Amino acid sequence: MAVSETYTDPTTDQNGSGGPVIVATGVEKWYGAFPVLKGGDLTVNKGEVVVVMGPSGSGKSTFIRTFNALETYQKGSIVIDGVKISHDLKDIESIRREVGMVFQQFNLFPHLTVLKNVTLAPIWVRRWAKAKAEEEAMRLLERVGILEQAKKYPGQLSGGQQQRVAIARALAMKPKVM
């Protein structure tokens, strides 16, 4: 696994807004005796875009899944927005609220429309009013180029369109880390 060069979003302030939002140091994970992660290090400042790349099976997804404790790690440390991810998981709810993820399988709810898929978490987790959630969802669907699909169900969309719904859904939560 390799981490490529970073890109700082020019819409943020000059210094990436003053500090890291992700700090992973010496992260290691094994499945039995098989090492999956061997000393993964990563620091990401607010506004930076970082690409984690490498061959299939090199641990990219596993590494990223440790950031919200979907995977545990055996050694090292991970701090997300000042909160250390530990094995007791007491702070995991607050971390998961602030870390947006788009999964390889998009995990859209097939019985809900695109609009409802995007508004579900902001209404139930962020406690937004339905009107506010729908307004933000429509803005995000327009941003990802599928506003006209809002009333359709995931099964009526192409794979690329489903991926864009998943991106809009993750962004709708206004995560600190995406």
Side-chain angles (χ1 to χ4, degrees):
M1 171 181 64
V3 177
S4 80
E5 296 180 29
T6 62
Y7 163 79
T8 302
D9 184 339
T11 61
T12 62
D13 64 19
Q14 312 300 19
N15 63 5
S17 91
V21 70
I22 299 174
V23 178
T25 308
V27 178
E28 296 187 13
K29 178 178 180 59
W30 303 271
Y31 289 121
F34 181 73
V36 181
L37 299 174
K38 303 176 202 171
D41 294 325
L42 177 66
T43 300
V44 180
N45 292 310
K46 185 175 181 184
E48 282 186 317
V49 177
V50 177
V51 176
V52 179
M53 55 190 263
S56 180
S58 64
K60 302 175 301 291
S61 293
T62 301
F63 187 51
I64 292 168
R65 289 170 58 90
T66 62
F67 296 167
N68 66 0
L70 290 173
E71 293 280 350
T72 59
Y73 58 95
Q74 284 82 24
K75 190 174 179 186
S77 71
I78 299 173
V79 178
I80 304 289
D81 198 33
V83 178
K84 183 175 180 175
I85 297 177
S86 63
H87 298 293
D88 70 11
L89 303 180
K90 68 179 175 134
D91 295 318
I92 196 59
E93 206 173 297
S94 64
I95 290 170
R96 285 185 177 158
R97 253 188 243 113
E98 302 304 335
V99 177
M101 293 189 74
V102 178
F103 296 92
Q104 290 175 358
Q105 286 78 31
F106 311 122
N107 299 327
L108 299 175
F109 294 106
H111 65 290
L112 299 178
T113 64
V114 166
L115 182 62
K116 288 197 185 284
N117 264 283
V118 177
T119 61
L120 188 67
I123 290 170
W124 287 95
V125 176
R126 296 276 192 218
R127 304 279 187 230
W128 289 3
K130 182 179 177 184
K132 177 183 178 182
E134 287 181 352
E135 181 180 323
E136 179 64 8
M138 297 301 271
R139 186 186 71 75
L140 289 167
L141 291 171
E142 182 174 30
R143 185 173 176 195
V144 298
I146 57 167
L147 178 61
E148 69 284 353
Q149 309 298 337
K151 294 186 187 305
K152 291 186 178 178
Y153 291 86
Q156 298 173 300
L157 306 176
S158 71
Q161 290 170 324
Q162 289 179 31
Q163 184 175 43
R164 288 185 272 164
V165 173
I167 292 167
R169 179 181 62 185
L171 290 171
M173 288 293 290
K174 305 265 187 215
K176 293 179 180 175
V177 175
M178 179 70 176

